[in-house]
């Protein structure tokens, strides 16, 4: 039995986070092939009796394209406007594809306040529980339209780790445009090696996460390590893997050694 198998053999609740860089093509449009592939795999997990929550970025990216802008706006209210436009398009796209697989989805938009305040946290937890009990797939994003700096997560990596904690998930999967965590930045160092397994998040591991970034997404490897710390300390294993790879989620749950695996603390 490999390390992953030991941790993943009884996985029942999974949070899958997909970043903008996986969902949006180079010309800025929604990558429908990729979305269909991710939806198909989530349905596969659900058909195996697992509960899945999808955390998806992409609202701002889709929104600014719809407005005909060439680059992501810098101004916070412009970003919020773009998110308000894009979120509807994003959810509509997911809803159509999931319903082709006879699945029901629900939209949940959260801010940091919603998980910081005890009553709100409990309400959100109850909503997730009620949805998952009915086999509905919650689709979550940050509520960008109302989130100002103090109540912003700022990146869906952190949000997805907190959701995994809220719903007592066993596994958090972060899908990005990179194969996993490398020993150094693979864009500038040809000797960079993909790290297969992280038993503990040491200073060295944190060092490896510096300097990697994406053009479209918000978080880089740094926010993913931050998410890993939240997840593993809550007893949830985490994997960073390349969302552009067909069948990647199925590979993960069948213990194939894809991406970087972070062992949950007991
Ligand atoms: N909530 C933002 C969006 O949907 C993205 C946040 C992130 O990239 O993590 O566009």
């Amino acid at each position: 039995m490999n390390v992953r198998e030991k941790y993943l053999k009884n996985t029942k609740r999974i949070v899958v986070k997909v970043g903008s860089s996986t969902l949006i093509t180079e010309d800025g449009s929604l990558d429908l092939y990729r979305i269909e592939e991710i939806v198909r795999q989530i349905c596969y997990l659900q058909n195996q009796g697992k509960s899945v929550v999808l955390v998806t970025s992409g609202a701002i990216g889709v929104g600014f394209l719809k407005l005909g802008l060439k680059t992501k706006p810098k101004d916070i209210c412009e970003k919020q406007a773009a998110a308000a436009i894009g979120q509807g398009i994003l959810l509509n796209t997911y809803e159509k594809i999931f319903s082709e697989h006879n699945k029901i989805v629900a939209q949940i938009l959260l801010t940091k306040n919603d998980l910081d305040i005890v009553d709100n946290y409990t309400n959100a937890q109850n909503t997730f529980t009620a949805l998952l009990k009915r086999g509905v797939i919650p689709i979550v994003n940050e509520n960008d339209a109302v989130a100002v700096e103090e109540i912003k997560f700022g990146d869906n990596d952190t949000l997805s780790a907190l959701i995994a904690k809220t719903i007592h998930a066993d596994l958090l999967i972060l899908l990005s445009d990179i194969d996993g965590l490398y020993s150094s930045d693979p864009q500038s160092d040809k000797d960079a090696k993909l790290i297969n397994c992280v038993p503990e998040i040491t200073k060295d591991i944190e060092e490896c996460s510096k300097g990697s970034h994406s053009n479209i997404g918000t978080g880089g490897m740094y926010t993913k390590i931050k998410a890993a710390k939240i997840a593993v300390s809550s007893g949830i294993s985490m994997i960073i893997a390349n969302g552009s790879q067909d069948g990647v989620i199925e590979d993960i749950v069948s213990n194939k050694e894809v991406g970087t695996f972070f062992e949950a603390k007991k």
Side-chain angles (χ1 to χ4, degrees), residues 17 19-20 56-62 72 83 87 90 141-144 152 154-157 216-219:
K17 183 258 169 179
S20 310
T56 180
S57 305
I60 298 176
V62 173
K72 198 169 178 173
Q87 181 61 31
L90 194 62
N141 196 356
E142 176 153 33
N143 193 354
D144 292 311
K152 239 178 143 28
D155 65 86
N156 278 351
D157 296 325
I216 303 172
T218 321

Side-chain angles (χ1 to χ4, degrees), residues 1-260:
M1 192 188 282
N2 68 19
V3 175
R4 295 186 187 212
E5 214 173 327
K6 195 175 102 201
Y7 282 89
L8 301 181
K9 66 175 187 294
N10 293 321
T11 300
K12 292 217 164 53
R13 280 196 171 184
I14 304 175
V15 175
V16 177
K17 183 258 169 179
V18 193
S20 310
S21 54
T22 301
L23 300 173
I24 296 175
T25 60
E26 268 174 27
D27 70 5
S29 55
L30 260 184
D31 188 340
L32 286 178
Y33 173 81
R34 193 50 52 206
I35 297 185
E36 280 177 12
E37 172 61 7
I38 287 165
V39 167
R40 182 190 67 74
Q41 295 179 82
I42 291 177
C43 294
Y44 165 83
L45 294 185
Q46 237 225 3
N47 294 340
Q48 308 267 305
K50 303 189 194 302
S51 299
V52 188
V53 172
L54 171 63
V55 178
T56 180
S57 305
I60 298 176
V62 173
F64 80 74
L65 182 78
K66 188 80 181 171
L67 285 173
L69 304 174
K70 290 262 177 301
T71 51
K72 198 169 178 173
K74 295 223 162 20
D75 200 43
I76 178 89
C77 54
E78 290 294 319
K79 276 191 201 158
Q80 289 176 303
I85 296 163
Q87 181 61 31
I89 301 171
L90 194 62
L91 199 87
N92 186 30
T93 308
Y94 278 117
E95 207 278 329
K96 271 197 203 136
I97 305 174
F98 272 110
S99 66
E100 283 167 16
H101 294 264
N102 289 321
K103 301 289 180 199
I104 303 172
V105 298
Q107 172 175 258
I108 300 190
L109 298 176
L110 293 170
T111 63
K112 199 161 179 292
N113 264 6
D114 300 323
L115 296 181
D116 277 351
I117 299 168
V118 176
D119 283 352
N120 292 358
Y121 171 89
T122 311
N123 290 336
Q125 193 175 43
N126 291 341
T127 307
F128 278 113
T129 307
L131 291 168
L132 294 175
K133 204 170 74 190
R134 286 170 175 74
V136 176
I137 297 155
I139 301 184
V140 187
N141 196 356
E142 176 153 33
N143 193 354
D144 292 311
V146 301
V148 287
E149 230 36 74
E150 313 80 79
I151 59 163
K152 239 178 143 28
F153 292 103
D155 65 86
N156 278 351
D157 296 325
T158 310
L159 174 62
S160 58
L162 291 171
I163 288 169
K165 192 173 162 184
T166 306
I167 65 158
H168 305 298
D170 324 277
L171 176 65
L172 169 61
I173 301 176
L174 299 188
L175 296 179
S176 185
D177 55 356
I178 187 160
D179 289 343
L181 177 67
Y182 280 85
S183 52
S184 54
D185 186 354
Q187 282 180 11
S188 55
D189 179 2
K190 64 174 177 33
D191 294 325
K193 290 206 167 41
L194 182 68
I195 301 172
N196 177 280
C197 185
V198 177
E200 206 189 331
I201 303 168
T202 57
K203 285 263 170 299
D204 285 350
I205 291 293
E206 288 187 56
E207 219 30 63
C208 297
S209 71
K210 291 189 183 146
S212 117
H213 58 273
S214 152
N215 289 334
I216 303 172
T218 321
M221 204 40 84
Y222 175 75
T223 58
K224 293 182 176 46
I225 301 299
K226 210 172 122 197
K229 282 188 182 169
I230 300 171
V232 299
S233 65
S234 315
I236 304 162
S237 297
M238 192 186 103
I239 292 179
I240 302 171
N242 198 327
S244 313
Q245 203 180 304
D246 286 355
V248 68
I249 301 176
E250 288 158 320
D251 285 348
I252 290 169
V253 293
S254 53
N255 305 318
K256 296 220 175 97
E257 306 240 317
V258 290
T260 302

